[in-house]
Amino acid sequence: MRFGLPTETETVIARRPVAYKVQSAQRNDTNKTIEYSITEALSQLELQTVTRKEENEKKRIGMLQNSFEEFNYQTNQLIDALNENFKVTQATQSSVIDTIVAEEKERKRKEEEMRLKEEQERREEERRKQIAEQKRKEEDERKRLEQKKKEEELALKKKEEERRARLRDAEEKKRTMGLTDFKKLEREVMKWRSHIADIKENVVARIHQNPQVKREMGASRRNITKRFGQLSNSLQQCRVVAQDVVQLIRSVQGDELRYKYLLNAVSKAIISQAETEVTVKATAAQPLAVLVFHLLNTFKELDFFLTARFVKKCCFVLGYSCSIDTEEGRLRMGWKRIENKWEDEVKYEERIGGIISLWAAISLHFRKDEFDLFNIGAQWRFLARILNTDFSLITNVHYLVVSNWWEVAADQLYREYGKQARKLFILLDRVWTPKGISKAFPAATRLQLLVEDLNNGNFNTISPMER
């Protein structure tokens, strides 16, 4: 390393001493000698100076070299220490790095294993789902094919049944040409029964959803029932009661739901009155019929509710009959269940007889076809259909309803239809009534006595109302 001083190998160049000339000519020789001496002396002095400088320089250089060597040694020691420390640090860091790298590799390995495992599980789950979906599709396809097969079989069966039914209907039509279509009549009965269910759901139930409205309508219904109890055999009293009931209904006529609810309530009250009052006394049918006459003339919509109620409670008004061997059959024929038991047969017949008497009395007031169920034509259909009914369905109640109807409306039917009515009466007298007597039906004997009175010129009808 160079610190500004020459090294041992470097050559030091000293300037030669300058010789000064003596001007005096005379002194040339002496001067030459002196000059030489001086020059020699100066040279020796300069050489000594240079020598000393060189020695000093050498010493200084030696000291510097020693210092440099010492410094170099310490530097090397420091470098060696640093190298050792670096190696230790590097080894430690390498170990830490190796550990971190190993841990990171292990973490990545585990993550990869977890990813592969999850991927495998996902694929396995997808495979299971695909298998399940495939099975479901196969099962759906199998069910669809089975359903299609069943539908095709049912369609074929239905077509075959329809073909057979058409043949039976054709044969039946040929056999019963001009007689009652009881299948159509059954559909009519079921139609009116469905209307009752619709009224319960869309009128009564909606009113009962609102407690306040329910209370108000309950009060109106009770007022109407109270007025019904005020009826008497006086026409004047009947008109007063009718006016009161009309006012009660008109008070809600602006509200369609309340209006329908009251019309339905009135219809139920009319039938209930027939089941209780008319059952006990047939003449009670007349004042109630007068009330219904006024209400039907005032509120045309009452016809729908009243017809539905009559058909539900007493389908005889349509001339319909069915077997009572099943619960459904009994319900259609108007039987009631009391404490899970069917009501007594006598009680049933009394109720039905009261309803028929009221219906006949109402129908006497309407001779036109203004209301389908309440006119003289409906009474003709009633009697004709009952006489056409398969006798296997005939029971004592059939003779009872005809007897009750006879006492109220037979005279009027005869006046309206004359000879045609007489044909029905002859069939009733000579064929139908004897069959009932042969079956020991009590009401058949009663009907026979009524027909005998007719043969003697007397219809034996109930007494008219007081003016």
Side-chain angles (χ1 to χ4, degrees):
M1 183 177 293
R2 187 178 181 89
F3 291 95
L5 297 176
T7 62
E8 292 179 354
T9 59
E10 290 179 331
T11 303
V12 179
I13 300 174
R15 292 182 179 181
R16 294 177 60 92
V18 180
Y20 295 94
K21 294 179 177 182
V22 178
Q23 297 295 326
S24 177
Q26 296 85 3
R27 298 177 181 174
N28 286 338
D29 294 334
T30 303
N31 288 343
K32 288 179 180 181
T33 304
I34 294 171
E35 180 180 355
Y36 176 81
S37 298
I38 293 171
T39 303
E40 185 68 21
L42 289 171
S43 297
Q44 289 294 325
L45 180 61
E46 184 177 358
L47 179 62
Q48 290 175 359
T49 302
V50 170
T51 301
R52 284 196 301 273
K53 284 183 179 181
E54 287 179 352
E55 289 177 354
N56 291 334
E57 188 68 24
K58 288 180 179 181
K59 288 180 182 180
R60 191 174 66 81
I61 290 171
M63 289 176 64
L64 289 172
Q65 285 180 344
N66 290 335
S67 297
F68 172 75
E69 290 176 357
E70 179 67 22
F71 176 77
N72 191 39
Y73 174 77
Q74 290 179 359
T75 301
N76 290 334
Q77 289 293 320
L78 180 60
I79 291 172
D80 291 340
L82 289 173
N83 287 334
E84 289 298 323
N85 185 44
F86 174 74
K87 289 179 180 179
V88 172
T89 302
Q90 187 179 34
T92 302
Q93 290 178 347
S94 297
S95 176
V96 172
I97 291 171
D98 290 342
T99 301
I100 293 172
V101 170
E103 290 177 351
E104 184 65 17
K105 287 181 179 180
E106 182 65 16
R107 183 184 66 77
K108 289 183 177 181
R109 185 186 66 78
K110 289 181 179 181
E111 287 181 352
E112 183 65 16
E113 288 180 354
M114 182 64 68
R115 187 187 65 78
L116 292 174
K117 184 178 179 181
E118 290 176 352
E119 181 68 17
Q120 184 177 2
E121 290 177 352
R122 184 184 64 78
R123 290 178 180 176
E124 183 65 22
E125 180 66 21
E126 288 180 354
R127 188 181 68 82
R128 286 196 297 269
K129 287 181 178 180
Q130 290 175 354
I131 293 173
E133 181 67 16
Q134 183 65 26
K135 288 182 178 180
R136 185 188 66 78
K137 289 181 178 180
E138 291 175 354
E139 182 66 16
D140 290 345
E141 182 65 15
R142 184 185 65 79
K143 289 181 178 179
R144 187 186 68 79
L145 293 175
E146 289 180 355
Q147 182 65 25
K148 183 178 179 181
K149 184 178 179 181
K150 288 180 181 179
E151 289 176 354
E152 290 175 351
E153 291 175 351
L154 288 173
L156 290 174
K157 185 177 179 181
K158 184 177 180 181
K159 287 181 179 179
E160 180 62 20
E161 290 177 350
E162 288 176 350
R163 186 184 67 81
R164 293 178 180 177
R166 285 195 298 270
L167 291 175
R168 287 195 302 269
D169 290 344
E171 292 175 359
E172 184 68 16
K173 187 175 182 180
K174 290 179 182 179
R175 188 178 64 83
T176 61
M177 186 65 70
L179 300 181
T180 304
D181 184 352
F182 285 102
K183 290 185 177 180
K184 181 178 179 181
L185 182 58
E186 181 178 19
R187 290 194 295 270
E188 185 176 359
V189 170
M190 297 310 297
K191 178 192 72 174
W192 287 109
R193 292 182 68 85
S194 68
H195 286 325
I196 288 292
D198 183 67
I199 291 169
K200 287 182 179 179
E201 180 180 354
N202 296 314
V203 177
V204 178
R206 288 176 60 190
I207 287 292
H208 289 177
Q209 288 175 357
N210 189 320
Q212 177 63 29
V213 176
K214 180 181 177 182
R215 285 193 295 271
E216 293 175 2
M217 290 297 95
S220 298
R221 189 181 66 250
R222 287 189 294 273
N223 285 333
I224 290 173
T225 303
K226 181 180 177 182
R227 298 296 192 280
F228 277 32
Q230 297 171 355
L231 290 171
S232 69
N233 203 37
S234 167
L235 279 173
Q236 182 62 33
Q237 176 64 17
C238 289
R239 293 191 185 99
V240 172
V241 172
Q243 289 175 0
D244 291 343
V245 175
V246 166
Q247 290 302 320
L248 287 170
I249 298 174
R250 278 181 174 166
S251 66
V252 298
Q253 196 168 5
D255 187 322
E256 182 180 3
L257 184 60
R258 297 188 185 203
Y259 179 55
K260 289 181 178 180
Y261 180 85
L262 271 194
L263 292 181
N264 182 61
V266 167
S267 300
K268 292 178 68 174
I270 290 169
I271 297 296
S272 178
Q273 195 80 355
E275 290 177 323
T276 55
E277 298 292 333
V278 182
T279 295
V280 177
K281 186 171 61 173
T283 54
Q286 293 176 316
L288 190 55
V290 172
L291 172 62
V292 174
F293 168 75
H294 285 288
L295 293 178
L296 280 173
N297 279 329
T298 307
F299 307 107
K300 302 300 181 183
E301 298 84 357
L302 178 61
D303 173 51
F304 172 81
F305 294 91
L306 195 58
T307 300
R309 191 62 55 180
F310 263 106
V311 174
K312 177 180 182 293
K313 289 292 186 176
C314 178
C315 58
F316 291 104
V317 296
L318 291 178
Y320 175 77
S321 298
C322 68
S323 173
I324 58 173
D325 294 339
T326 63
E327 182 172 325
E328 174 62 22
R330 290 204 169 213
L331 289 174
R332 288 186 190 180
M333 296 306 295
W335 286 75
K336 285 185 178 181
R337 291 184 70 90
I338 302 174
E339 296 180 355
N340 293 325
K341 293 182 181 180
W342 293 112
E343 64 182 323
D344 180 74
E345 186 175 358
V346 174
K347 179 65 177 176
Y348 164 73
E349 291 177 352
E350 289 177 349
R351 286 193 311 100
I352 295 299
I355 295 173
I356 283 291
S357 295
L358 173 61
W359 169 73
I362 295 171
S363 299
L364 291 179
H365 292 277
F366 301 98
R367 298 196 177 187
K368 297 179 181 179
D369 294 336
E370 186 176 2
F371 302 108
D372 290 341
L373 189 63
F374 307 106
N375 56 62
I376 198 68
Q379 294 186 49
W380 171 273
R381 292 191 296 271
F382 151 79
L383 184 58
R385 286 170 179 175
I386 286 184
L387 294 179
N388 283 335
T389 299
D390 187 337
F391 199 77
S392 64
L393 300 177
I394 299 297
T395 61
N396 185 65
V397 70
H398 290 78
Y399 290 92
L400 184 141
V401 297
V402 172
S403 297
N404 280 29
W405 168 83
W406 185 283
E407 290 182 336
V408 177
D411 183 17
Q412 190 64 43
L413 186 75
Y414 181 73
R415 293 174 185 273
E416 184 70 24
Y417 293 102
K419 292 181 180 181
Q420 295 301 319
R422 185 169 181 82
K423 290 179 181 179
L424 283 182
F425 294 162
I426 291 173
L427 176 63
L428 183 148
D429 178 31
R430 298 179 183 178
V431 180
W432 198 68
T433 302
K435 286 184 178 181
I437 292 174
S438 68
K439 291 288 186 178
F441 293 146
T445 303
R446 175 190 168 198
L447 181 59
Q448 183 185 41
L449 294 174
L450 291 171
V451 175
E452 287 178 355
D453 287 343
L454 172 60
N455 293 333
N456 294 326
N458 181 17
F459 271 99
N460 200 6
T461 57
I462 59 177
S463 302
M465 291 182 64
E466 297 176 0
R467 294 293 178 181

